[in-house]
Amino acid sequence: MMKIMYTIMMSIMVSMMLMIMCTLISKKSNMDREKLTPFECGFDPISSARTPFSIQFFLIAVLFLIFDIEIAIMLPMITTMKSSNLTSWTITVMVFITILILGLYYEWKNNMLEW
Protein backbone atom coordinates (compact mmCIF):
# COMPACT_ATOMS: atom_id res chain seq x y z
CA MET A 1 0.00 0.00 0.00
CA MET A 2 2.87 2.35 0.78
CA LYS A 3 4.40 1.76 -2.66
CA ILE A 4 1.16 2.82 -4.32
CA MET A 5 0.88 5.95 -2.19
CA TYR A 6 4.54 6.76 -2.84
CA THR A 7 4.06 6.35 -6.60
CA ILE A 8 0.96 8.54 -6.59
CA MET A 9 2.69 11.26 -4.58
CA MET A 10 5.75 11.18 -6.84
CA SER A 11 3.67 11.42 -10.00
CA ILE A 12 1.70 14.36 -8.58
CA MET A 13 4.90 16.11 -7.53
CA VAL A 14 6.57 15.59 -10.91
CA SER A 15 3.52 16.83 -12.82
CA MET A 16 3.19 19.88 -10.55
CA MET A 17 6.89 20.69 -10.99
CA LEU A 18 6.55 20.42 -14.78
CA MET A 19 3.50 22.70 -14.81
CA ILE A 20 5.25 25.31 -12.65
CA MET A 21 8.41 25.16 -14.78
CA CYS A 22 6.42 25.54 -18.00
CA THR A 23 4.58 28.52 -16.57
CA LEU A 24 7.83 30.20 -15.52
CA ILE A 25 9.70 29.44 -18.74
CA SER A 26 6.93 30.16 -21.23
CA LYS A 27 7.17 33.40 -23.11
CA LYS A 28 4.16 35.68 -23.21
CA SER A 29 3.29 36.80 -26.72
CA ASN A 30 1.36 39.88 -27.66
CA MET A 31 -1.62 38.92 -29.76
CA ASP A 32 -2.02 41.71 -32.28
CA ARG A 33 -4.12 41.91 -35.43
CA GLU A 34 -1.41 40.49 -37.68
CA LYS A 35 -0.81 37.45 -35.49
CA LEU A 36 -4.51 36.61 -35.32
CA THR A 37 -4.95 36.52 -39.12
CA PRO A 38 -4.50 33.22 -40.99
CA PHE A 39 -1.14 32.87 -42.74
CA GLU A 40 -1.25 32.37 -46.52
CA CYS A 41 2.26 33.04 -47.79
CA GLY A 42 2.07 36.75 -47.00
CA PHE A 43 -1.01 37.37 -49.15
CA ASP A 44 -4.43 38.39 -47.92
CA PRO A 45 -6.72 35.38 -47.47
CA ILE A 46 -8.94 34.59 -50.47
CA SER A 47 -11.90 33.38 -48.46
CA SER A 48 -12.91 33.17 -44.84
CA ALA A 49 -11.10 30.61 -42.72
CA ARG A 50 -14.31 29.95 -40.80
CA THR A 51 -16.38 28.38 -43.58
CA PRO A 52 -19.11 26.00 -42.39
CA PHE A 53 -18.92 22.32 -43.27
CA SER A 54 -21.52 19.62 -43.75
CA ILE A 55 -22.65 18.01 -40.51
CA GLN A 56 -23.49 14.83 -42.46
CA PHE A 57 -19.85 14.55 -43.51
CA PHE A 58 -18.82 14.93 -39.88
CA LEU A 59 -21.22 12.15 -38.79
CA ILE A 60 -19.94 9.79 -41.48
CA ALA A 61 -16.36 10.53 -40.42
CA VAL A 62 -17.22 9.77 -36.78
CA LEU A 63 -18.90 6.51 -37.82
CA PHE A 64 -15.81 5.56 -39.80
CA LEU A 65 -13.61 6.20 -36.76
CA ILE A 66 -15.89 4.17 -34.51
CA PHE A 67 -15.85 1.16 -36.83
CA ASP A 68 -12.13 1.55 -37.44
CA ILE A 69 -11.51 1.39 -33.69
CA GLU A 70 -13.88 -1.58 -33.50
CA ILE A 71 -11.65 -3.53 -35.89
CA ALA A 72 -8.57 -2.56 -33.87
CA ILE A 73 -10.26 -3.92 -30.73
CA MET A 74 -11.58 -7.10 -32.35
CA LEU A 75 -8.32 -8.28 -33.94
CA PRO A 76 -6.55 -9.02 -30.63
CA MET A 77 -9.67 -10.87 -29.46
CA ILE A 78 -8.89 -13.62 -31.94
CA THR A 79 -5.41 -14.18 -30.52
CA THR A 80 -6.65 -14.22 -26.92
CA MET A 81 -9.20 -16.94 -27.64
CA LYS A 82 -6.65 -19.73 -27.12
CA SER A 83 -5.38 -18.46 -23.78
CA SER A 84 -8.67 -17.56 -22.10
CA ASN A 85 -11.77 -19.34 -20.87
CA LEU A 86 -13.92 -20.08 -23.92
CA THR A 87 -17.27 -19.25 -22.31
CA SER A 88 -16.15 -15.90 -20.88
CA TRP A 89 -14.43 -15.05 -24.17
CA THR A 90 -17.60 -15.87 -26.12
CA ILE A 91 -19.78 -13.80 -23.79
CA THR A 92 -17.41 -10.85 -24.00
CA VAL A 93 -17.27 -10.93 -27.80
CA MET A 94 -21.04 -11.34 -28.11
CA VAL A 95 -21.73 -8.40 -25.78
CA PHE A 96 -19.23 -6.25 -27.68
CA ILE A 97 -20.71 -7.10 -31.09
CA THR A 98 -24.29 -6.69 -29.77
CA ILE A 99 -23.52 -3.18 -28.52
CA LEU A 100 -22.02 -2.27 -31.89
CA ILE A 101 -24.97 -3.70 -33.82
CA LEU A 102 -27.46 -1.89 -31.56
CA GLY A 103 -25.56 1.36 -32.12
CA LEU A 104 -25.63 0.84 -35.87
CA TYR A 105 -29.35 0.04 -35.75
CA TYR A 106 -30.00 3.22 -33.73
CA GLU A 107 -28.08 5.32 -36.26
CA TRP A 108 -29.92 3.68 -39.13
CA LYS A 109 -33.36 4.28 -37.58
CA ASN A 110 -32.55 7.95 -36.87
CA ASN A 111 -31.49 8.42 -40.53
CA MET A 112 -27.96 9.36 -39.56
CA LEU A 113 -26.60 7.26 -42.40
CA GLU A 114 -28.55 9.13 -45.08
CA TRP A 115 -26.32 11.36 -47.14
Side-chain angles (χ1 to χ4, degrees), residues 30-43:
N30 295 332
M31 298 303 268
D32 59 355
R33 182 177 172 269
E34 290 297 321
K35 287 186 178 180
L36 292 175
T37 58
F39 179 71
E40 290 187 13
C41 301
F43 298 107

Side-chain angles (χ1 to χ4, degrees), residues 70-81 89:
E70 166 201 347
I71 295 299
I73 291 173
M74 287 181 73
L75 285 176
M77 283 183 178
I78 297 168
T79 59
T80 60
M81 185 174 81
W89 183 86

Side-chain angles (χ1 to χ4, degrees), residues 37-40 43-52:
T37 58
F39 179 71
E40 290 187 13
F43 298 107
D44 289 331
I46 295 172
S47 64
S48 174
R50 307 276 191 268
T51 56

Side-chain angles (χ1 to χ4, degrees), residues 3-4 21-22 42 48 54 71 74 79-80 93 95 101 112:
K3 284 184 179 182
I4 295 172
M21 286 176 56
C22 287
S48 174
S54 172
I71 295 299
M74 287 181 73
T79 59
T80 60
V93 170
V95 167
I101 290 173
M112 292 181 182

